[in-house]
Amino acid sequence: MLERFGHGGDLTTATEAFGRESAHFLDFSSNMNPLGPPEYVGDIVQQYIQRIQAYPDPASRMLKELLSNLYGIDEKCLLIGNGAAELIDLAVRAIAPEAAAVVSPCFSEYADAVCKVGGRLHRIPLSAQSGFELGQDQLQQAAQSGVGLYMLGSPNNPTGRLMDRKLIEQLLDSGAYVVLDEAFLDFVPGSETLTMVAEAARHSRLIVIRSMTKFYAVPGIRLGYAAAAPELIAGMRSLQVPWSVNSLAQSIGEAVIGDMPFVSRTLAWLGEERTWLAKKLTKLGFIVTPSDANYLLLRLPERMKLNASGLQEAMGRTGVLIRDASLFPGLDERYIRVAVKLREQNASLLERLTEMMAEGKEGELA
């Protein structure tokens, strides 16, 4: 199983399983920007050797100042972290809920964080019939079960669907806490008007978490930030280990903020490519969930004999990695998730999937 550690993008496990060098895989199992990091990131890495013997700034002050100016919020409302995963964990530990709700399917770290603090987990099932959208009636049922914290992704992973801001506001009005994961929101046009970072700085029960590694394609450095009221940020900071964010990550984060040409280029690529790939997959017989993000949740065609895990293994042997989405609670063995990549790479994915379907037909005839 490629997701033996709970996530996609594990090239070491893929190498062990399929006997290929990591560079020889087309990795559709993790959702990084295929345009790669901005060119100047390479210069930053090369120059970093000059500062590698010094401790990083323990407060990430320059990065925090730039984010403060970007969103127009006080620096006391920001916490820089070692990726979104660390910040999710810190947020839940700071709130320490007796009961928390997550939608199913969703990013596994939400439930893991709740279980680590001994909280009772309430799952809100999303259905394919409703396009995996969260409804108000489902939230009301969760509220009746004594839920004090809602862990939500916008866009949600693996469905790619955005959260309705009105529903989040209703949850906050009800007295509940909300941790809103906006790790993939940069991939959505108009994200600057959709984000709730500014609202989080003004609200005592809202924490917004952002990732800087997915959009800028630097997952190896681990970088993200949280926005919340000063009291919540102080609680999270008190639980964070010293020097959680290394100086290379801070330098790259400082450099990419405000790089609008890179943002425009990414959004132009994604808007065209996601539509093209979704149409091609639909033509092959896959049921494609509408997505606002840089990945697609797919249900396998009925005529495909392989299930998700079988298809993942068969594709892996050809050098193409996909996500077995049946491992997300709420999805069955017919679901996979694929990243949207560059045209040539997407064409290779479609070619492999077509071959898998043809092999299934041959086997049936035999």
Side-chain angles (χ1 to χ4, degrees):
M1 183 177 69
L2 292 181
E3 298 86 355
R4 58 189 290 192
F5 295 105
H7 302 281
D10 184 353
L11 295 178
T12 301
T13 296
T15 295
E16 294 172 352
F18 303 117
R20 290 172 178 256
E21 300 265 345
S22 60
H24 295 159
F25 286 107
L26 273 179
D27 185 11
F28 287 84
S29 70
S30 67
N31 307 315
M32 296 302 128
N33 188 338
L35 300 182
E39 291 183 7
Y40 51 79
V41 169
D43 297 330
I44 293 172
V45 173
Q46 289 181 352
Q47 296 165 9
Y48 181 63
I49 189 66
Q50 301 172 15
R51 297 187 295 119
I52 200 169
Q53 296 183 52
Y55 278 105
D57 177 0
S60 304
R61 278 164 283 201
M62 177 58 73
L63 182 52
K64 206 176 328 183
E65 179 182 346
L66 292 170
L67 290 168
S68 170
N69 293 334
L70 179 66
Y71 291 109
I73 61 177
D74 195 293
E75 291 181 30
K76 294 179 181 178
C77 298
L78 290 162
L79 179 65
I80 313 301
N82 187 254
E86 182 199 28
L87 294 162
I88 290 167
D89 185 73
L90 291 173
V92 175
R93 288 169 63 196
I95 296 170
E98 291 185 6
V102 300
V103 300
S104 290
C106 72
F107 185 45
S108 62
E109 296 288 346
Y110 306 157
D112 291 347
V114 172
C115 293
K116 285 177 185 176
V117 299
R120 178 169 53 84
L121 191 64
H122 179 90
R123 292 191 179 274
I124 304 174
L126 303 178
S127 69
Q129 290 72 24
S130 65
F132 294 102
E133 290 187 342
L134 180 62
Q136 188 172 11
D137 55 338
Q138 295 167 301
L139 293 178
Q140 290 175 344
Q141 293 175 7
Q144 293 171 1
S145 69
V147 167
L149 166 65
Y150 293 81
M151 308 276 299
L152 303 169
S154 186
N156 182 42
N157 181 11
T159 65
R161 305 309 304 266
L162 282 169
M163 275 292 304
D164 185 341
R165 178 189 289 257
K166 291 182 180 178
L167 291 181
I168 298 171
E169 292 171 347
Q170 289 174 10
L171 291 174
L172 295 170
D173 290 342
S174 73
Y177 283 89
V178 175
V179 173
L180 184 64
D181 180 6
E182 295 183 347
F184 291 98
L185 191 62
D186 284 323
F187 290 98
V188 182
S191 62
E192 65 278 3
T193 62
L194 296 171
T195 181
M196 297 192 73
V197 164
E199 287 82 353
R202 299 191 295 264
H203 203 287
S204 61
R205 295 189 308 280
L206 173 62
I207 300 175
V208 171
I209 293 171
R210 301 292 298 254
S211 169
M212 298 186 73
T213 57
K214 298 172 177 63
F215 190 82
Y216 296 101
V218 286
I221 64 166
R222 314 302 308 140
L223 183 65
Y225 56 95
E231 297 78 13
L232 280 174
I233 291 295
M236 293 172 65
R237 185 186 298 112
S238 69
L239 299 169
Q240 189 178 37
V241 299
W243 299 296
S244 173
V245 184
N246 67 71
S247 50
L248 178 59
Q250 291 182 40
S251 295
I252 293 175
E254 293 160 10
V256 300
I257 290 176
D259 187 346
M260 295 312 299
F262 185 81
V263 171
S264 299
R265 188 154 53 96
T266 297
L267 295 180
W269 151 76
L270 179 58
E272 177 181 347
E273 198 62 23
R274 184 178 59 211
T275 300
W276 180 86
L277 180 58
K279 287 181 178 178
K280 293 291 186 181
L281 288 164
T282 300
K283 190 173 181 180
L284 278 179
F286 290 85
I287 298 175
V288 182
T289 301
S291 174
D292 296 297
N294 61 324
Y295 48 87
L296 297 170
L297 179 65
L298 313 174
R299 184 167 177 81
L300 303 183
E302 291 302 321
R303 65 179 184 272
M304 180 172 279
K305 300 305 178 184
L306 294 169
N307 61 15
S309 63
L311 180 61
Q312 182 188 66
E313 182 177 351
M315 293 282 283
R317 288 197 298 266
T318 72
V320 177
L321 305 180
I322 61 173
R323 187 77 155 87
D324 178 358
S326 71
L327 299 174
F328 290 92
L331 296 178
D332 63 29
E333 71 281 355
R334 304 295 295 173
Y335 280 95
I336 64 171
R337 191 198 68 196
V338 297
V340 181
K341 300 180 82 67
L342 302 179
R343 180 61 57 90
E344 183 179 353
Q345 298 165 323
N346 292 333
S348 294
L349 171 70
L350 293 166
E351 182 180 350
R352 297 292 183 277
L353 289 171
T354 302
E355 291 171 357
M356 295 298 150
M357 296 177 72
E359 288 178 10
K361 284 185 178 179
E362 291 173 5
E364 188 176 2
L365 290 173

